[in-house]
């Protein structure tokens, strides 16, 4: 078993919901294998309060969470990234910075819970749905035998997870 810890950056436009959820989930499920971060191309001023609520109800840590720019991770002093995963179509379509170290990139498209319109209860239910979808992908990612796969196989697995995520979000009410 390798002692390698894989630095993973999750990206969205606003860095207030999906990417924050993914960061917290991977740091929780993969605490011995991964160090997760999140950022946005145009981060908001704060993490969405419903994101905090969903994380707290799942008894996951929320200390220190903040919306941050992806520019923080493109600097020479930033952690060397092994994986960069976009979670929203907006960030996937933008021109990303050049990441030092040529990390493996993938796109896992999830609907934006922050954009959902409805009652407070309906919004919370929608945030829960997206949280569960992201948690399922993170659990699978965490279970991949990364030390036995080459770079091409890992990229293939991450892309397959992205296809699953897109299919699930498109078919799940």
């Amino acid at each position: 078993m390798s002692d390698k810890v894989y630095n993973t950056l999750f990206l969205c436009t606003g860095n207030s919901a999906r990417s924050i959820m993914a960061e917290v989930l991977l740091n929780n499920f993969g605490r011995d294998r991964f160090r997760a971060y999140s950022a946005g191309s145009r981060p908001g001023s704060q993490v969405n309060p419903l994101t905090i609520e969903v994380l707290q109800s799942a008894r996951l840590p929320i200390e220190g969470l903040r919306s941050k720019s992806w520019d923080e991770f493109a600097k020479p002093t930033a952690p060397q990234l092994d994986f960069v995963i976009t979670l929203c179509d907006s960030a996937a379509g933008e021109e990303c910075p050049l990441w030092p170290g040529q990390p493996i990139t993938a796109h896992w498209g999830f609907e934006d819970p922050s954009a959902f319109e409805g009652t407070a209860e309906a919004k919370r239910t929608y945030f829960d749905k997206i949280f569960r979808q992201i948690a399922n992908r993170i659990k699978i990612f965490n279970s991949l035998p990364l030390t036995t796969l080459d770079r091409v196989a890992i990229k293939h697995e991450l892309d397959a997870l992205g296809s699953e995520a897109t299919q699930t979000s498109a078919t799940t009410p």
Side-chain angles (χ1 to χ4, degrees):
M1 182 80 136
S2 171
D3 289 335
K4 171 135 177 81
V5 175
Y6 297 94
N7 288 323
T8 304
L9 177 61
F10 293 102
L11 297 174
C12 271
T13 304
N15 188 222
S16 71
R18 293 164 288 185
S19 53
I20 295 282
M21 291 177 193
E23 172 188 2
V24 172
L25 285 161
L26 187 58
N27 279 330
N28 183 64
F29 295 138
R31 69 179 64 102
D32 296 332
R33 299 180 65 209
F34 291 94
R35 176 69 181 113
Y37 307 92
S38 68
S41 57
R42 292 184 302 274
S45 60
Q46 66 179 14
V47 175
N48 187 303
L50 284 173
T51 301
I52 298 295
E53 190 177 315
V54 167
L55 293 170
Q56 285 178 315
S57 70
R59 296 192 168 124
L60 292 168
I62 59 164
E63 299 81 33
L65 293 179
R66 64 184 177 87
S67 294
K68 53 210 157 298
S69 173
W70 65 13
D71 293 338
E72 289 184 33
F73 297 92
K75 295 177 181 176
T77 56
Q80 175 108 16
L81 299 170
D82 298 293
F83 303 103
V84 175
I85 301 170
T86 55
L87 301 176
C88 62
D89 292 331
S90 300
E94 294 182 35
E95 189 165 322
C96 292
L98 291 176
W99 306 110
Q102 300 178 333
I104 297 172
T105 60
H107 175 66
W108 300 350
F110 291 100
E111 295 171 3
D112 183 2
S114 300
F116 182 81
E117 304 260 340
T119 65
E121 183 178 332
K123 287 180 183 180
R124 171 59 199 264
T125 299
Y126 198 72
F127 264 79
D128 284 335
K129 176 187 127 178
I130 300 301
F131 175 78
R132 287 190 311 275
Q133 290 175 354
I134 293 170
N136 288 337
R137 297 303 173 267
I138 295 295
K139 288 176 185 175
I140 295 167
F141 179 40
N142 185 47
S143 71
L144 292 175
L146 298 176
T147 58
T148 63
L149 298 174
D150 65 20
R151 186 174 174 86
V152 172
I154 293 170
K155 171 72 171 147
H156 175 77
E157 291 293 332
L158 291 180
D159 288 343
L161 278 172
S163 294
E164 263 184 62
T166 302
Q167 291 169 4
T168 301
S169 65
T171 60
T172 304

